[in-house]
Each structure stands twice: as structure tokens, then as C-alpha cells.
Amino acid sequence: MRRAVVRGTGHYLPERVVDNDFFAQTLDTSDEWIRSRTGIERRHFAADDQRTSDLAIAAARAALDNAGMQADQIDAIVLATSTPDFTFPSVATMVQAGLGMTRGFAFDVQAVCAGFVFALANADGLIRSGQADRVLVIGAETFSRIMDWTDRGTCVLFGDGAGAVVLEVADGDGSSDDRGILSTDLNSDGRYKDLLHVDGGVGSTGTAGVLRMQGNLVFRHAVEKLADTAHRALDKAGLDSDDVDWLVPHQANLRIISATAQKMQLPMEKVVLTVADHGNTSAASIPLALSVADRQGKFQEGDVVVAEGIGGGLSWGSVVLRW
Ligand code: UT7
């Protein structure tokens, strides 16, 4: 059976680091409120001349280096973003050109904060079906470009960054002992589209718009739906919570992450946390967390890793893989 195995990880964070006190200068907020309600201490913001594709290219190069591969060995790029440089072409094709890659195919996936999970599931499908042997999967965002800087309920939460993984085909026997992606679980429910959305776009206002969120409602959906999807994906893989070595959740809010871990009966020692340093980087948050944890030497070959995320749509899902 064809399995998609992680061969390399990489990430890029813009140089500019912004701490919570920055927001207290102009808004009725405080470092104490942001830390205690979200776990966020700082985030990175892209420079004025940095676009999502620049962040993505840097992360992709780091992941290729880490995998010991050249760009021309890659068959496909699947890139998750909701903050593309342009309406089209896709950021993925810009990454392709930026890497000097002259073969294969590249496309973007848009599922907001669940984007990387959706991208991984797509890449897994491409590999399983034989359409690609090596896929670069990227999450890259510049959410600082779609903030309402007068809305304390949203602008303190988000940051910019990019993360990438290289997947390569490997033979497995189809059991849960195989290395690689073992199962995926994807969900959307468009009835909740207004809870978290951007109030502009090419087909409506003709502007980029800014992010709007009913945070406390999204919070409730997140806690319920993230534990659910993780359990479903584990079930599909023939595993349960006891088998999980690492949970790599979307990094939106430490309270959501702790509540999900508790529902899954996982100790926090098994949870990868980057929310304090990165804030919510939407589709970039999971690959950033994977890459940071990989650099820290957390993952051992054979470890069961569960990645899960939820975002606008609502869309949510999870991926179970053996490192
Ligand atoms: O990435 C996609 C998924 N997104 C998420 O998962 C985000 C989910 N939501 C959250 O993380 C949380 O709901 C927030 C962090 C956004 C808000 O925390 P909360 O505990 O749900 O607060 P709340 O929205 O219920 O607001 C409580 C109070 C309100 O004041 P009043 O009405 O009680 O007087 C807010 O106006 O906190 C106020 N507030 C703030 N106060 C100081 C909201 N933002 C701030 C702020 N500083 N930055």
C-alpha cells in the first residue's frame, strides 16, 4: 500500500516580533488579558514588502533542505492559505517558480485555519492514488494584512508565518504500524459561515476586507469539534488516545488546546505548543508547530502524531500519522 511519509519539515517567521504591550498602546487591552485568555505572548508580523509567497518559499527551502531533496524532485506543491498575494495565480505556483521548479503541478487550498489539515489530506490522496511520489505541503499566511486594528477582539490574536513538510511515498502493509499518514478526517458546515469571516472579497465588495469573528461562539465549536474529529481519525486508523505520542493542534488559543487535550485524555506533555510565540497563524500554525517541535527533537521514528485544526467555514479536521 502506498503511504505518504514525512521526510522533512521547515518553517519561516518574519523578523519583526510584536509583544502584547504593542496593542495596549492604542486599544483598551493588556498583556495580562491577552496572556490569560489566549496564552499568546508575542507574534511575528511580515515586513511591508514581504508577501505570503516570500514566507512560503523560505519555509519550503528549509523543508527541502531538511529532507535532503532538490526542488526538481518534487512532483506537486499543495499550499494552504487564505491570504494569497493575488486573487490568482495561486501562491503555490509562485513558490514553484521561486524554488526554480520547472516540472510537476501546484495549487492552493483554502480552508482557513483548517487549511493545512485539508492540504495534507489532499497530498495524501495524490500520493496514494499514484499521481505524485513527493509532495511539498505548505501553510503560509499574512493575517496581519486582514486585521481591523481597532477591534481588540481579533487583532491581538493573529500573526504571520509559514511552515512546510515534504511527503514521500513509501510502501506499507496497510496496518496502523505503517509509517506515514494513517487516516484523515475532514468536515465543513457552511451554516456557520458568519461566525468567522472576512467582510470583503473580489465577488462582493471588490476589496480585501478584514477579519470578523464571534470569538466565544467559535471557541465553543472548537472545543467540541476538535476532540470529535481527532477521535474519528484515530478510530479510522484503528488507534485510540492511548496510542497518541504527540498532539499538534491548531494554535489559536491555549484554553481551546487544553480543553481538547483534556477531552482526549492526553496530558499536556504530549501537546506541541507554539501559541505563546506565534499567536494564531491560521493555516501556517500546524506546520510551524510541526517544524519547531521537529527542530527540538521531539518526534521519534514510529511516534503517532495527531494534527487537528478548525477555522472559518466552519471547516475542521484532523490527520493521524506515524512519524
Ligand atoms: O483560528 C480559528 C479559530 N479561532 C479560534 O479558535 C478563536 C476562538 N475564540 C477565542 O479564542 C476566544 O473566544 C477569544 C480569545 C477571541 C475571546 O475570549 P473569550 O474568553 O471568549 O472572551 P469574550 O469574547 O467572551 O469576551 C469577554 C470580554 C468582553 O467584554 P465584556 O463584553 O464582557 O465587557 C470582550 O469585549 O472580553 C473583552 N475582550 C477583551 N478585553 C481586553 C475581548 N477582547 C479583548 C482584549 N482585551 N483584547
Side-chain angles (χ1 to χ4, degrees):
M1 176 174 182
R2 289 170 67 91
R3 293 285 199 188
V5 175
V6 176
R7 293 293 185 215
T9 61
H11 68 272
Y12 173 79
L13 289 158
E15 264 175 43
R16 183 176 171 214
V17 179
V18 172
D19 62 18
N20 293 340
D21 289 330
F22 169 82
F23 299 95
Q25 291 166 21
T26 52
L27 295 170
D28 181 14
T29 188
S30 63
D31 176 51
E32 201 283 325
W33 191 95
I34 299 169
R35 268 177 207 253
S36 62
R37 304 307 291 169
T38 71
I40 298 168
E41 295 174 19
R42 60 192 70 80
R43 74 287 290 141
H44 295 247
F45 284 159
D48 289 345
D49 62 352
Q50 272 184 320
R51 291 175 172 169
T52 296
S53 62
D54 297 315
L55 278 50
I57 290 166
R61 286 204 176 110
L64 284 171
D65 266 6
N66 185 245
M69 285 183 203
Q70 305 295 318
D72 263 0
Q73 292 175 270
I74 298 296
D75 302 315
I77 300 175
V78 185
L79 186 144
T81 191
S82 298
T83 46
D85 301 15
F86 299 102
T87 302
F88 74 80
S90 65
V91 179
T93 53
M94 294 181 198
V95 173
Q96 188 191 22
L99 294 175
M101 190 178 146
T102 53
R103 55 179 289 275
F105 58 97
F107 61 95
D108 288 358
V109 167
Q110 208 268 55
V112 204
C113 300
F116 189 75
V117 167
F118 278 58
L120 267 186
N122 266 280
D124 180 45
L126 292 172
I127 288 178
R128 277 177 192 250
S129 64
Q131 292 179 80
D133 286 345
R134 296 190 185 96
V135 183
L136 190 51
V137 191
I138 305 170
E141 302 276 20
T142 46
F143 261 50
S144 64
R145 303 277 153 78
I146 52 164
M147 288 296 109
D148 173 355
W149 299 107
T150 64
D151 178 9
R152 67 178 183 174
T154 53
C155 72
V156 304
L157 304 173
F158 293 89
D160 302 335
V165 305
V166 178
L167 295 178
E168 184 176 39
V169 69
D171 263 343
D173 60 16
S175 80
S176 60
D177 292 334
D178 287 349
R179 287 187 72 196
I181 295 179
L182 299 175
S183 65
T184 60
D185 180 65
L186 303 182
N187 312 268
S188 306
D189 191 337
R191 287 176 301 170
Y192 299 119
K193 65 182 169 43
D194 294 332
L195 296 189
L196 173 49
H197 68 284
V198 169
D199 63 6
V202 280
S204 51
T205 59
T207 62
V210 291
L211 183 145
R212 303 287 176 208
M213 177 166 68
Q214 289 174 252
N216 45 7
L217 294 182
V218 175
F219 188 107
R220 267 181 251 160
H221 281 288
V223 172
E224 171 207 315
K225 291 180 165 54
L226 287 173
D228 261 14
T229 175
H231 277 133
R232 255 195 315 275
L234 281 166
D235 206 39
K236 287 183 197 174
L239 300 170
D240 61 37
S241 280
D242 290 344
D243 299 307
V244 177
D245 294 295
W246 294 102
L247 179 67
V248 186
H250 171 47
Q251 309 281 321
N253 186 319
L254 183 58
R255 288 156 55 219
I256 296 176
I257 296 172
S258 317
T260 308
Q262 201 175 3
K263 277 194 161 205
M264 292 177 67
Q265 296 178 320
L266 283 181
M268 286 306 279
E269 294 74 53
K270 291 187 171 187
V271 182
V272 174
L273 292 174
T274 52
V275 65
D277 294 330
H278 301 169
N280 183 346
T281 57
S282 188
S285 95
I286 290 172
L288 269 164
L290 279 170
S291 177
V292 167
D294 195 19
R295 294 293 169 286
Q296 291 168 343
K298 286 204 156 101
F299 305 134
Q300 304 301 312
E301 190 172 317
D303 279 358
V304 171
V305 177
V306 178
E308 41 139 56
I310 183 165
L314 295 175
S315 290
W316 68 101
S318 49
V319 171
V320 175
L321 61 89
R322 194 177 285 285
W323 201 255

